[in-house]
Amino acid sequence: LNALPGRAPRQRIRFLPAPGGGGAVGLVPTRVPVLADHPLVRGPRFRKLKIGAGHRLDVKASGVFVLGIGHGNKLLTDLYNCHLTKVYTVGGLFGKATDDFSDTGKLIEKTTFDHITREKLERILAVVQGANQKALLLYSNIDMKTQEAYELAVKGLIRPMGKSPPIITAVRCLQFALPEFQLEIHCLHETQQYLRKMVHEIGLELKSSAVCTQVRRIRDGVFTVDDALPRTQWNLQSIQEAIQNCQLKVETELEKTLG
Amino acid sequence: VVRRPWRRPEAAMAGPARPLLRRALAAAPPSTRQLREAEEAAPVFQYAGKAARRKDRVFVWGFSFSGALGVPSFVRPDAGWKNPRRVQTTPYRLETEGKISSAACGYGFTLLASNTRDITKVWGMGLNKDSQLGFQRSRRDQTKGYEYVLEPSPIPLPLEKPQQTRVLQVSCGRAHSLVLTDSEGVFTMGNNSYGQCGRKVVEDEIYSESHLIHQLKEFDSRVVQVVCGQDHSLFRTKKGTVYACGWGADGQTGLGHYNITSVPTKLHGDIAGVNIVQVSSCGDCCLAVSDEGDVFGWGNSEYLQLASVTESTQVNVPRHLPFKIGKIKEAACGGTGNIVLTEEGNVFVWGYGILGKGPNLIETAEPEMIPASLFGQSDFSPDTRVARVRCGLSQFAALTNKGELFVWGKNLRGCLGTGRMEDQYFPWRVTVPGEVVDVACGVDHMVSMVRSFI
């Protein structure tokens, strides 16, 4: 950033003694750059950058991670208050139960899983979704007896706008090949460990056990995997382009939700 | 593979354990290879085999003090320090002796019926002051009967061939009940002051502790559905005709007069010659659905239930209700509101009371549709449809094809099962640990038949 051409120094009109030999002592107005703006006096323009992080992503998970730079930190706070859903792809493995619900933990128990079919899994997912829908309505702090609550419920716009325990708004099974399976989970206020625990609970409901092999965030509010920069593109040019592309999306979303 | 019975793990597993603060003098942590070998050598437990069948269960909720829920510890706690539970606001599992195929809720009592060929086919619990559960011999005094039955007790039916006949369906009204069998007609018991049991009214008859169970066989063909209104009974036969008996002051017998009928008589009016495939009634209004998707109504119309065809408040002849909402698959009649389900899976309500479209819709004479998004339909599950609709006296229940139960209406003594005591103005999911197959709604309690997930 410091290597980029900076602002041109300010110019000032000073009355300097005229060049030339002795004799006439005339002052000639000349335009001279201000010494205070000289790069050697001023120093590098950027010494520190304020970078803030959006929703947390723990060590074993991967995916979209939103960072804000400078003014973006304020936008991050606003986006947090919008309470938008995040989308994860969660990979699981039947047959094992570990203490930290992932496949790298200490083994607790091994179980059979040949009785599990995709239909049974989808039944359990429907129940999970139903229970979480109720939680969504309960924590949204809207009085259920008003017509307004009915209208919002019809449109599906009720969501908690304050603190709430983790809520899963939608789940569906993307792939199912025993013993592995993959789910797409839309959730609010969650942690990745909660998603791993959810995989473990699904295993328990199916009278077997399951561990989580992969947690990958594919969407965080308005930012999707397409907007995110992979490791190879962590340079200034791509970052600037990405910020510009997302600006419009972020503004419209903030206006729509916070008014 | 080691077989183990299924038991939920007692303690929720926390995160990885904290490392001990003492210096461990034990051996070095096991290497990866040792861990892998230990893992492969660990025993594999089997909790459910490939042929594991889903279990059928019964869940009850609502007002429990009359014994209608069938759990004696709610009324008479088994430990001194426990308090009796007047209202059960969330679904509670009821242990039954067999698979229950049909259930019905009356006013403070419940009937459960099983499709079996065993001797005991029907169980009853709750209020028995009019012998609506038959004669329940008291254990303390062999000559007297119980007035309140606190747990599901077998009802002795006078069957000719008890080991061959099957009970198809049961239905309960205010103080009488009907049991439908496949080859021996309909058995009726309980209060008969208005002829609702299908036998002649006897003046000053004492109904409590009565052994009398009447059998009805004279219909034009086999009876396939029995429905009890508050004080009247409706019978639907295989040929599509409807018979009625009982109180008729609101025209709910549909026979063209407002008197009592004590013998099941065939209905005419707009349903003469029409093949009726479903009849429903809970209070004083009745609805019938034909095989072509038309709906007919008769009875009480004080709450605008039949206001689309007539201004009068009592209709004593079945009238066709000309609604342009599509072919109707199922109808359910409540005390003051009605609900129908169309072939496309849309739900329409009309009448008076909490109809399910927010607190602003209190009464309407024309059917209003409840949006499918309230029943769980969304972009994620676009094929969620309502499969069945049921009506209590002032509540509605809808079952989806995914096995979810939605209820709304007046929450009388916790009958909605939502866990709260407030009324519900739009469809709300009831959390039942299983897939709900059928639900029976009464005045202040509900019974559901549920299959477990696995």
Side-chain angles (χ1 to χ4, degrees), chain B residues 24-54:
Chain B
L25 292 169
S31 68
T32 322
R33 181 154 163 247
Q34 281 173 326
L35 277 174
R36 201 175 58 232
E37 280 172 0
E39 202 177 295
E40 273 161 30
V44 179
F45 294 101
Q46 183 188 51
Y47 291 105
K50 260 193 149 159
R53 296 221 325 266
R54 295 168 73 179

Short mmCIF file of all heavy atoms in Angstrom, two decimals, chain B residues 24-54:
data_model
loop_
_atom_site.label_atom_id
_atom_site.label_comp_id
_atom_site.label_asym_id
_atom_site.label_seq_id
_atom_site.Cartn_x
_atom_site.Cartn_y
_atom_site.Cartn_z
N ALA B 24 2.13 -36.10 34.90
CA ALA B 24 1.79 -37.50 34.64
C ALA B 24 3.08 -38.29 34.55
O ALA B 24 3.97 -37.95 33.78
CB ALA B 24 0.99 -37.60 33.36
N LEU B 25 3.14 -39.35 35.35
CA LEU B 25 4.33 -40.20 35.27
C LEU B 25 4.06 -41.40 34.39
O LEU B 25 4.85 -42.31 34.32
CB LEU B 25 4.71 -40.70 36.68
CG LEU B 25 5.21 -39.60 37.60
CD1 LEU B 25 5.31 -40.10 39.02
CD2 LEU B 25 6.56 -39.11 37.13
N ALA B 26 2.92 -41.39 33.73
CA ALA B 26 2.56 -42.55 32.91
C ALA B 26 3.41 -42.56 31.64
O ALA B 26 4.24 -41.69 31.42
CB ALA B 26 1.08 -42.48 32.55
N ALA B 27 3.16 -43.54 30.81
CA ALA B 27 3.93 -43.68 29.57
C ALA B 27 3.60 -42.53 28.63
O ALA B 27 2.67 -41.79 28.82
CB ALA B 27 3.60 -45.02 28.92
N ALA B 28 4.37 -42.42 27.59
CA ALA B 28 4.18 -41.36 26.59
C ALA B 28 2.81 -41.53 25.92
O ALA B 28 2.29 -42.64 25.87
CB ALA B 28 5.28 -41.45 25.55
N PRO B 29 2.19 -40.45 25.42
CA PRO B 29 0.88 -40.58 24.75
C PRO B 29 0.97 -41.57 23.59
O PRO B 29 1.99 -41.62 22.91
CB PRO B 29 0.57 -39.17 24.25
CG PRO B 29 1.84 -38.41 24.37
CD PRO B 29 2.64 -39.05 25.44
N PRO B 30 -0.10 -42.36 23.39
CA PRO B 30 -0.02 -43.42 22.37
C PRO B 30 0.20 -42.83 20.99
O PRO B 30 -0.33 -41.78 20.65
CB PRO B 30 -1.38 -44.12 22.46
CG PRO B 30 -2.26 -43.15 23.16
CD PRO B 30 -1.41 -42.33 24.04
N SER B 31 0.97 -43.54 20.19
CA SER B 31 1.27 -43.04 18.85
C SER B 31 0.05 -43.25 17.96
O SER B 31 -0.89 -43.93 18.32
CB SER B 31 2.46 -43.80 18.28
OG SER B 31 2.06 -45.15 18.06
N THR B 32 0.13 -42.68 16.77
CA THR B 32 -1.01 -42.76 15.84
C THR B 32 -1.32 -44.20 15.51
O THR B 32 -2.47 -44.61 15.42
CB THR B 32 -0.67 -42.01 14.55
OG1 THR B 32 0.07 -40.84 14.88
CG2 THR B 32 -1.93 -41.62 13.81
N ARG B 33 -0.26 -45.01 15.33
CA ARG B 33 -0.47 -46.39 14.92
C ARG B 33 -1.18 -47.16 16.03
O ARG B 33 -2.08 -47.94 15.79
CB ARG B 33 0.88 -47.03 14.62
CG ARG B 33 0.70 -48.45 14.17
CD ARG B 33 1.84 -48.94 13.30
NE ARG B 33 1.75 -50.40 13.27
CZ ARG B 33 2.64 -51.19 13.80
NH1 ARG B 33 3.73 -50.68 14.37
NH2 ARG B 33 2.48 -52.50 13.78
N GLN B 34 -0.76 -46.85 17.30
CA GLN B 34 -1.40 -47.54 18.42
C GLN B 34 -2.86 -47.15 18.53
O GLN B 34 -3.74 -47.98 18.78
CB GLN B 34 -0.67 -47.21 19.72
CG GLN B 34 0.60 -47.99 19.90
CD GLN B 34 1.38 -47.51 21.11
OE1 GLN B 34 1.37 -46.32 21.43
NE2 GLN B 34 2.04 -48.41 21.79
N LEU B 35 -3.12 -45.85 18.29
CA LEU B 35 -4.51 -45.37 18.37
C LEU B 35 -5.37 -46.08 17.34
O LEU B 35 -6.48 -46.52 17.60
CB LEU B 35 -4.57 -43.87 18.12
CG LEU B 35 -4.28 -42.97 19.32
CD1 LEU B 35 -4.23 -41.52 18.85
CD2 LEU B 35 -5.34 -43.12 20.38
N ARG B 36 -4.79 -46.21 16.12
CA ARG B 36 -5.58 -46.80 15.04
C ARG B 36 -5.87 -48.25 15.34
O ARG B 36 -6.95 -48.76 15.12
CB ARG B 36 -4.81 -46.66 13.73
CG ARG B 36 -5.73 -46.76 12.52
CD ARG B 36 -5.02 -46.52 11.23
NE ARG B 36 -3.93 -47.43 11.02
CZ ARG B 36 -2.69 -47.06 10.72
NH1 ARG B 36 -2.40 -45.78 10.57
NH2 ARG B 36 -1.73 -47.93 10.56
N GLU B 37 -4.86 -48.93 15.89
CA GLU B 37 -5.06 -50.35 16.20
C GLU B 37 -6.09 -50.50 17.31
O GLU B 37 -6.94 -51.39 17.25
CB GLU B 37 -3.73 -50.98 16.63
CG GLU B 37 -2.87 -51.32 15.43
CD GLU B 37 -1.48 -51.77 15.83
OE1 GLU B 37 -1.19 -51.80 17.05
OE2 GLU B 37 -0.69 -52.06 14.94
N ALA B 38 -6.01 -49.61 18.33
CA ALA B 38 -6.99 -49.69 19.41
C ALA B 38 -8.39 -49.45 18.88
O ALA B 38 -9.35 -50.09 19.29
CB ALA B 38 -6.65 -48.66 20.48
N GLU B 39 -8.47 -48.54 17.92
CA GLU B 39 -9.79 -48.24 17.35
C GLU B 39 -10.35 -49.43 16.61
O GLU B 39 -11.53 -49.75 16.70
CB GLU B 39 -9.64 -47.06 16.39
CG GLU B 39 -10.93 -46.33 16.16
CD GLU B 39 -10.72 -45.14 15.26
OE1 GLU B 39 -10.01 -44.20 15.68
OE2 GLU B 39 -11.25 -45.15 14.15
N GLU B 40 -9.48 -50.08 15.85
CA GLU B 40 -9.99 -51.22 15.08
C GLU B 40 -10.36 -52.38 15.98
O GLU B 40 -11.24 -53.17 15.65
CB GLU B 40 -8.94 -51.67 14.06
CG GLU B 40 -9.04 -50.89 12.77
CD GLU B 40 -7.79 -50.96 11.94
OE1 GLU B 40 -7.08 -51.99 12.04
OE2 GLU B 40 -7.51 -49.99 11.23
N ALA B 41 -9.70 -52.46 17.13
CA ALA B 41 -10.00 -53.59 18.01
C ALA B 41 -11.21 -53.33 18.89
O ALA B 41 -11.69 -54.24 19.55
CB ALA B 41 -8.78 -53.87 18.90
N ALA B 42 -11.71 -52.10 18.92
CA ALA B 42 -12.84 -51.78 19.81
C ALA B 42 -14.08 -52.54 19.36
O ALA B 42 -14.29 -52.75 18.17
CB ALA B 42 -13.11 -50.28 19.78
N PRO B 43 -14.95 -52.95 20.32
CA PRO B 43 -16.16 -53.70 19.92
C PRO B 43 -17.18 -52.78 19.26
O PRO B 43 -17.28 -51.62 19.59
CB PRO B 43 -16.70 -54.22 21.26
CG PRO B 43 -16.18 -53.27 22.27
CD PRO B 43 -14.87 -52.77 21.77
N VAL B 44 -17.94 -53.34 18.33
CA VAL B 44 -18.98 -52.57 17.63
C VAL B 44 -20.32 -52.94 18.25
O VAL B 44 -20.65 -54.10 18.36
CB VAL B 44 -18.99 -52.93 16.13
CG1 VAL B 44 -20.08 -52.16 15.42
CG2 VAL B 44 -17.64 -52.63 15.52
N PHE B 45 -21.09 -51.94 18.68
CA PHE B 45 -22.38 -52.20 19.31
C PHE B 45 -23.50 -52.04 18.30
O PHE B 45 -23.47 -51.15 17.47
CB PHE B 45 -22.60 -51.22 20.48
CG PHE B 45 -21.63 -51.44 21.61
CD1 PHE B 45 -20.53 -50.61 21.76
CD2 PHE B 45 -21.82 -52.48 22.48
CE1 PHE B 45 -19.64 -50.82 22.79
CE2 PHE B 45 -20.93 -52.69 23.51
CZ PHE B 45 -19.84 -51.86 23.67
N GLN B 46 -24.52 -52.89 18.42
CA GLN B 46 -25.66 -52.75 17.52
C GLN B 46 -26.89 -52.36 18.33
O GLN B 46 -27.29 -53.06 19.25
CB GLN B 46 -25.93 -54.08 16.81
CG GLN B 46 -27.05 -53.94 15.82
CD GLN B 46 -27.45 -55.27 15.24
OE1 GLN B 46 -27.69 -56.21 15.99
NE2 GLN B 46 -27.53 -55.35 13.94
N TYR B 47 -27.47 -51.26 18.01
CA TYR B 47 -28.67 -50.81 18.72
C TYR B 47 -29.93 -51.10 17.95
O TYR B 47 -30.99 -51.25 18.49
CB TYR B 47 -28.59 -49.30 18.99
CG TYR B 47 -27.54 -48.96 20.00
CD1 TYR B 47 -26.34 -48.38 19.61
CD2 TYR B 47 -27.74 -49.20 21.34
CE1 TYR B 47 -25.38 -48.06 20.53
CE2 TYR B 47 -26.77 -48.88 22.27
CZ TYR B 47 -25.60 -48.32 21.87
OH TYR B 47 -24.64 -48.00 22.78
N ALA B 48 -29.84 -51.11 16.65
CA ALA B 48 -31.03 -51.39 15.83
C ALA B 48 -30.57 -52.18 14.62
O ALA B 48 -29.65 -51.79 13.92
CB ALA B 48 -31.69 -50.09 15.40
N GLY B 49 -31.25 -53.31 14.37
CA GLY B 49 -30.86 -54.12 13.23
C GLY B 49 -31.49 -53.61 11.97
O GLY B 49 -32.27 -52.66 11.97
N LYS B 50 -31.19 -54.29 10.86
CA LYS B 50 -31.71 -53.83 9.57
C LYS B 50 -33.22 -54.00 9.51
O LYS B 50 -33.91 -53.26 8.85
CB LYS B 50 -31.07 -54.67 8.45
CG LYS B 50 -29.94 -53.98 7.78
CD LYS B 50 -29.56 -54.69 6.52
CE LYS B 50 -29.03 -53.67 5.54
NZ LYS B 50 -28.20 -54.26 4.52
N ALA B 51 -33.74 -55.01 10.20
CA ALA B 51 -35.18 -55.25 10.13
C ALA B 51 -35.90 -54.60 11.28
O ALA B 51 -37.01 -54.99 11.62
CB ALA B 51 -35.43 -56.75 10.12
N ALA B 52 -35.32 -53.61 11.92
CA ALA B 52 -35.97 -52.96 13.07
C ALA B 52 -37.25 -52.28 12.61
O ALA B 52 -37.24 -51.51 11.66
CB ALA B 52 -35.02 -51.94 13.68
N ARG B 53 -38.36 -52.59 13.30
CA ARG B 53 -39.65 -52.01 12.87
C ARG B 53 -39.95 -50.78 13.70
O ARG B 53 -39.58 -50.69 14.85
CB ARG B 53 -40.76 -53.06 13.06
CG ARG B 53 -40.50 -54.22 12.15
CD ARG B 53 -41.69 -54.81 11.46
NE ARG B 53 -42.93 -54.85 12.14
CZ ARG B 53 -43.35 -55.90 12.84
NH1 ARG B 53 -42.59 -56.95 12.97
NH2 ARG B 53 -44.53 -55.88 13.39
N ARG B 54 -40.68 -49.86 13.10
CA ARG B 54 -41.05 -48.64 13.81
C ARG B 54 -42.15 -48.96 14.79
O ARG B 54 -43.05 -49.73 14.51
CB ARG B 54 -41.53 -47.61 12.80
CG ARG B 54 -40.43 -47.19 11.86
CD ARG B 54 -40.99 -46.41 10.73
NE ARG B 54 -41.38 -45.10 11.16
CZ ARG B 54 -41.89 -44.19 10.35
NH1 ARG B 54 -42.06 -44.49 9.07
NH2 ARG B 54 -42.24 -43.01 10.77
#
